[in-house]
Amino acid sequence: MTLKKTAAGLLILTMAVTGAACSSKDSTTSPSPAATATATAAPQASAVSQDTTNMKGYIAARIAREKVDYLFAEAKSADGAFIVNPIAATDKETAKKFLGNYFDTSMLDTLVNYYVTDAKAGAAFLTNTKSYFKSNLLDTKKEEITFDKANTADLVKFSTKDGVTYTTKKVNDKFLVSEVQ
């Protein structure tokens, strides 16, 4: 019984749509409101798309910055010195592997060599306590960020209010930080 009611409802709906389409006057000279809305929405869709891409690049850079703090400025040795976080890495190579999910290979060596020292506290490597980054991206708000007008779907460049420029590039469908100036 329910199937018959559904079929009857679909038949009535189809007839109503067909009747409405046939009764419109001179549709070739006057575009429908739906067509007009679609035509005007198309340029906005590409702008929204780049805005979304810009935000993905910005968020990826914030997450990458947070991972650096987690790896190099969170764990401490028994005497209170900062060490490479043993939960995520134990040495330079495992630190590179961990950060490889957030930073492009062009930055990995520089970043890891900056933070991981040759000194140890027990089995853990001590880290440089001075930040590699001139300002903390985590202290910024998206309203304080200026995105480069030449950004693309695969490359997002932005500057902070402090004048630090971040470049993120898409690698395997996710953004990685490739440069910080």
Side-chain angles (χ1 to χ4, degrees):
M1 183 74 170
T2 306
L3 184 59
K4 288 182 182 180
K5 286 182 181 178
T6 304
L10 286 173
L11 182 62
I12 292 170
L13 180 63
T14 304
M15 289 172 41
V17 170
T18 304
C22 291
S23 67
S24 69
K25 294 182 181 178
D26 200 14
S27 65
T28 58
T29 59
S30 165
S32 70
T36 305
T38 303
T40 57
Q44 294 172 351
S46 64
V48 170
S49 176
Q50 188 58 52
D51 288 343
T52 301
T53 302
N54 287 346
M55 286 310 298
K56 286 180 180 180
Y58 171 66
I59 290 168
R62 286 180 61 92
I63 291 170
R65 181 64 176 89
E66 189 174 77
K67 296 304 179 181
V68 166
D69 286 351
Y70 172 74
L71 189 58
F72 301 124
E74 195 169 289
K76 292 185 178 182
S77 66
D79 65 352
F82 284 105
I83 59 171
V84 175
N85 193 330
I87 295 171
T90 55
D91 57 17
K92 287 183 179 185
E93 289 310 310
T94 55
K96 286 180 196 176
K97 186 174 180 181
F98 177 78
L99 290 177
N101 293 314
Y102 309 99
F103 289 90
D104 186 55
T105 54
S106 62
M107 279 197 68
L108 284 177
D109 283 335
T110 303
L111 198 59
V112 171
N113 288 334
Y114 178 85
Y115 277 106
V116 181
T117 68
D118 292 332
K120 287 186 167 185
F125 284 95
L126 296 176
T127 60
N128 187 352
T129 57
K130 185 178 179 195
S131 179
Y132 172 83
F133 303 95
K134 294 186 187 332
S135 68
N136 191 348
L137 183 61
L138 300 175
D139 292 338
T140 64
K141 297 176 184 161
K142 66 181 179 180
E143 296 82 22
E144 301 170 336
I145 299 300
T146 304
F147 291 100
D148 194 317
K149 292 184 189 303
N151 285 348
T152 66
D154 295 326
L155 185 76
V156 173
K157 194 173 189 177
F158 62 89
S159 300
T160 65
K161 66 180 181 176
D162 302 332
V164 178
T165 302
Y166 287 79
T167 304
T168 61
K169 69 179 185 178
K170 191 180 269 188
V171 177
N172 297 328
D173 287 334
K174 71 181 203 179
F175 281 94
L176 303 177
V177 177
S178 62
E179 187 175 35
V180 178
Q181 297 177 343

